[in-house]
Amino acid sequence: METMANTLVVEKAKTSKIHEVDFDNLSFGSTYTDHMLVCDYVNGEWKAPKIVPYQPISLDPSAKIFHYGQSIFEGMKAYKDRDGGVWLFRPLENFKRLNKSAKRLAIPELPEAYFMEGLTTLLQLERDWVPQNPGSSLYVRPFMFASGTGFHASPADEYKFIIACAPSGAYFSGKVKVLIEETYSRAANGGVGYAKAGGNYAGQFYPTQLAVEKGYQQVIWTDDNNHEFIEEAGAMNVFVRINDTLITAPTNDRILDGVTRKSILDIAKSEGIATEVRKISVKEVVEAAKNGSLKELFGAGTAAVVSPIAAFGYQGVDYDLPELENSYASLLKQRITDIQYNRAEDKFGWRYKVI
Ligand code: COI
């Protein structure tokens, strides 16, 4: 064990698994690096983080994560440029959102230095795991959960914050067909939809399974009141292009404040694309599909970046999106990944050098 100047303790793995990994054929999020960061909340405070060999964690069966679901996470990526430099994209946004989620789930907030220094040191140690192949990156998964015990339905007194990393390829291969949801909801007013709470994703699985049985891959979530407005696409924010205007729903307590979402909006504006942040009714999307003004529909998130939608289903009818030569989706994906992989000037100041 060696202790670093900033009190971050690093216990290095005795051997590396890196030679077992086929970096030319990476799936998404299923192979893990040699180390992970662990930070414990005990006796009313977050203790200094440690970097340890990647390993299983042991929990008491009464740990409150299992019973009351106090669990939140973030999704980030580390990118390698052609010179071997490693970069993060707007990591402070993830840190701020982690604490926003923590607050909503009555989990104690984490100090910024623990997140930023822990993350940077972990990635410096794992730099060889950051893939350089086009479209690949190191997916970084910070997460936090109640490790404290007890069947009493109240916040736990102990928590763990962990960062695990997975060299990853694309999240989706190709375009997806989605179903506009009319029965189930992802989030409700006053609920936890804006937080990156594990339960938000658990609640999506069953309606998504039903959609998959009907031949779709993902669900477009609509508001919980009347299923009148479109809100998110699968585990991503959603964008609609009607004629030449790019529209996305405003964030609120049901919609995640996606880092990719807000970056795409800024990039679109700087490209001279007309943008609108407003409620988008299902009726408007269906009418636009019928009259030919619906040009594009795509999801945006860290994992999938920009995920174009080929067709959507609503009330038993499927509507195809046109195949465009110069889509906003491909332009915006190109622009954002050029910044992320240090292939272009970063006029927004979003790139963060790891090493
Ligand atoms: C991400 O885009 O990073 C997310 O957090 C979505 C996740 C469910 C893969």
Side-chain angles (χ1 to χ4, degrees):
M1 291 242 227
E2 55 192 84
T3 307
M4 307 189 60
N6 55 13
T7 74
L8 186 57
V9 172
V10 179
E11 184 196 337
K12 286 207 176 140
K14 292 199 174 58
T15 55
S16 175
K17 301 168 293 192
I18 199 162
H19 303 293
E20 297 162 20
V21 179
D22 179 0
F23 280 87
D24 293 326
N25 291 294
L26 289 170
S27 57
F28 180 86
S30 51
T31 310
Y32 313 101
T33 64
D34 289 327
H35 300 91
M36 63 190 199
L37 178 122
V38 183
C39 187
D40 287 310
Y41 182 89
V42 282
N43 298 328
E45 63 174 6
W46 285 105
K47 303 291 178 199
K50 290 175 287 199
I51 291 175
V52 294
Y54 187 90
Q55 60 193 278
I57 44 187
S58 165
L59 291 174
D60 192 279
S62 71
K64 292 200 181 192
I65 168 63
F66 299 132
H67 308 278
Y68 305 119
Q70 276 182 293
S71 165
I72 56 172
F73 71 96
E74 275 301 315
M76 311 173 72
K77 282 176 173 172
Y79 309 88
K80 191 170 271 180
D81 68 23
R82 60 171 73 86
D83 301 321
V86 175
W87 303 86
L88 284 164
F89 184 71
R90 309 186 75 178
L92 268 176
E93 296 299 318
N94 295 94
F95 167 70
K96 285 189 237 160
R97 192 174 59 189
L98 180 82
N99 272 349
K100 220 167 136 185
S101 302
K103 193 167 180 189
R104 181 61 183 85
L105 278 274
I107 297 174
E109 292 171 47
L110 188 76
E112 180 180 320
Y114 286 14
F115 184 90
M116 291 305 295
E117 283 175 33
L119 176 65
T120 312
T121 310
L122 178 66
L123 292 176
Q124 286 165 351
L125 188 63
E126 304 295 58
R127 63 180 298 175
D128 292 344
W129 285 87
V130 184
Q132 209 163 15
N133 298 358
S136 299
S137 58
L138 186 69
Y139 188 72
V140 181
R141 175 51 66 87
F143 60 105
M144 213 185 248
F145 60 90
S147 50
T149 58
F151 294 144
H152 193 276
S154 52
D157 57 358
E158 294 188 0
Y159 296 85
K160 271 188 189 296
F161 170 64
I162 296 180
I163 306 180
C165 307
S168 295
Y171 193 79
F172 290 119
S173 49
K175 290 192 172 185
V176 293
K177 191 174 162 189
V178 298
L179 179 66
I180 297 188
E181 184 58 60
E182 293 175 72
T183 307
Y184 297 96
S185 301
R186 176 191 168 276
N189 282 325
V192 298
Y194 69 89
K196 232 167 149 50
N200 285 340
Y201 297 79
Q204 297 187 16
F205 293 161
Y206 177 63
T208 306
Q209 276 173 354
L210 297 180
V212 168
E213 282 166 19
K214 292 183 191 150
Y216 302 91
Q217 282 97 52
Q218 289 292 328
V219 166
I220 296 266
W221 302 104
T222 48
D223 67 283
D224 59 309
N225 258 345
N226 303 315
H227 301 286
E228 215 180 323
F229 297 97
I230 71 166
E231 302 208 318
E232 291 203 12
M236 290 175 287
N237 293 114
V238 66
F239 282 84
V240 181
R241 173 180 171 186
I242 297 181
N243 290 317
D244 285 338
T245 302
L246 190 62
I247 315 162
T248 193
T251 52
N252 54 30
D253 58 2
R254 302 183 306 276
I255 297 181
L256 192 83
D257 183 9
V259 179
T260 309
R261 172 190 172 280
K262 58 188 169 202
S263 307
I264 289 280
L265 275 174
D266 286 346
I267 294 173
K269 281 182 214 157
S270 80
E271 292 288 328
I273 295 173
T275 59
E276 287 177 10
V277 177
R278 62 162 172 86
K279 289 163 91 172
I280 313 154
S281 70
V282 178
K283 191 162 163 249
E284 180 181 4
V285 174
V286 170
E287 272 168 17
K290 284 184 183 159
N291 69 27
S293 58
L294 181 67
K295 304 288 187 220
E296 293 180 59
L297 203 48
F298 59 86
T302 299
V305 196
V306 169
S307 178
I309 292 168
F312 71 89
Y314 183 62
Q315 295 188 333
V317 182
D318 281 351
Y319 300 86
D320 288 328
L321 276 290
E323 290 274 347
L324 298 184
E325 286 249 323
N326 298 306
S327 66
Y328 285 175
S330 59
L331 173 79
L332 295 167
K333 182 172 183 180
Q334 187 65 47
R335 293 286 185 267
I336 194 169
T337 54
D338 280 349
I339 296 174
Q340 291 167 334
Y341 286 88
N342 190 24
R343 294 189 295 244
E345 185 209 346
D346 173 20
K347 65 177 177 189
F348 302 98
W350 288 337
R351 260 194 312 261
Y352 178 92
K353 180 105 176 144
V354 172
I355 193 162

